Amino acid sequence: MLKNIACVFEGVMTIKEVTLNGLLVGLIHQGCFNSFKCNITKHLCVEGSNSLTVRVKKTSENQYGN
């Protein structure tokens, strides 16, 4: 049985998307270098390899975030 496993980011500017094995993990994060974490436990492949992708955009879709 897996314990809870999370990706922890100390700060990302400004919008992120985290996918594990092609599945979106958590919510899209908007913030100016705010820390956040997302639980990846249920998307992990225990007996094989995993592919973690993190996308970061330079500008925010929210005009107040730029």
Side-chain angles (χ1 to χ4, degrees):
M1 181 173 175
L2 285 177
K3 296 186 181 213
N4 284 327
I5 300 172
C7 285
V8 179
F9 300 88
E10 291 185 8
V12 175
M13 179 71 175
T14 169
I15 297 175
K16 69 85 187 168
E17 178 182 271
V18 177
T19 59
L20 180 62
N21 301 323
L23 300 171
L24 184 64
V25 177
L27 301 174
I28 294 176
H29 170 79
Q30 293 190 47
C32 300
F33 295 105
N34 295 327
S35 62
F36 65 94
K37 67 180 176 179
C38 50
N39 189 322
I40 62 170
T41 308
K42 68 180 180 179
H43 300 297
L44 282 171
C45 178
V46 178
E47 295 182 19
S49 61
N50 292 280
S51 176
L52 179 70
T53 305
V54 179
R55 298 172 123 190
V56 178
K57 292 185 179 180
K58 187 175 182 178
T59 58
S60 175
E61 293 174 6
N62 179 343
Q63 66 181 4
Y64 300 106
N66 292 325

